[in-house]
Amino acid sequence: MRLHLQHIFESVKESLERLQLDYIDVLQCHRFDPDTPIEETMQALHDVVKAGYVRYIGMNSCYAWQCAYLFKFKDNNCLTYLGRSPRHAE
């Protein structure tokens, strides 16, 4: 999945239409997109929450440094709370 702004909004809107829902309870990203800056992904996730399309956001399967960066960026920019799941052994 591409985690840039346009793709996140398009995917969420298409899912809402297909599922005939007003909002998604939890939008969980399962992998980082190495081609999209983390800052853009975080801002896009925040924006879909603020737009009312999603209630909560989460990220899993990320490395400790990625989680630390996500939380620091979130806190420094007053973005939506981000839930996370630890990376499992492969």
Side-chain angles (χ1 to χ4, degrees):
M1 176 177 170
R2 307 301 304 198
L3 294 178
H4 57 80
L5 177 69
Q6 181 180 354
H7 187 86
I8 289 174
F9 265 87
E10 287 174 358
S11 296
V12 166
K13 287 181 177 182
E14 288 171 6
S15 293
L16 290 172
E17 186 176 313
R18 184 177 62 254
L19 297 169
Q20 299 177 357
L21 295 173
D22 295 326
Y23 61 87
I24 295 170
D25 288 319
V26 179
L27 177 61
Q28 187 81 14
C29 299
H30 294 284
R31 294 277 187 266
F32 274 88
D33 174 4
D35 298 323
T36 303
I38 292 172
E39 299 85 356
E40 181 179 344
T41 298
M42 289 297 295
Q43 188 64 54
L45 294 172
H46 174 75
D47 291 348
V48 293
V49 171
K50 291 300 174 192
Y53 298 135
V54 174
R55 296 283 171 101
Y56 302 99
I57 56 175
M59 181 71 75
N60 66 9
S61 299
C62 56
Y63 293 103
W65 71 266
Q66 292 169 321
C67 289
Y69 188 83
L70 285 171
F71 280 93
K72 183 177 180 181
F73 183 80
K74 174 194 70 69
D75 291 342
N76 289 344
N77 294 280
C78 301
L79 299 180
T80 303
Y81 172 78
L82 175 70
R84 73 164 202 84
S85 297
R87 182 174 171 83
H88 300 285
E90 296 177 355

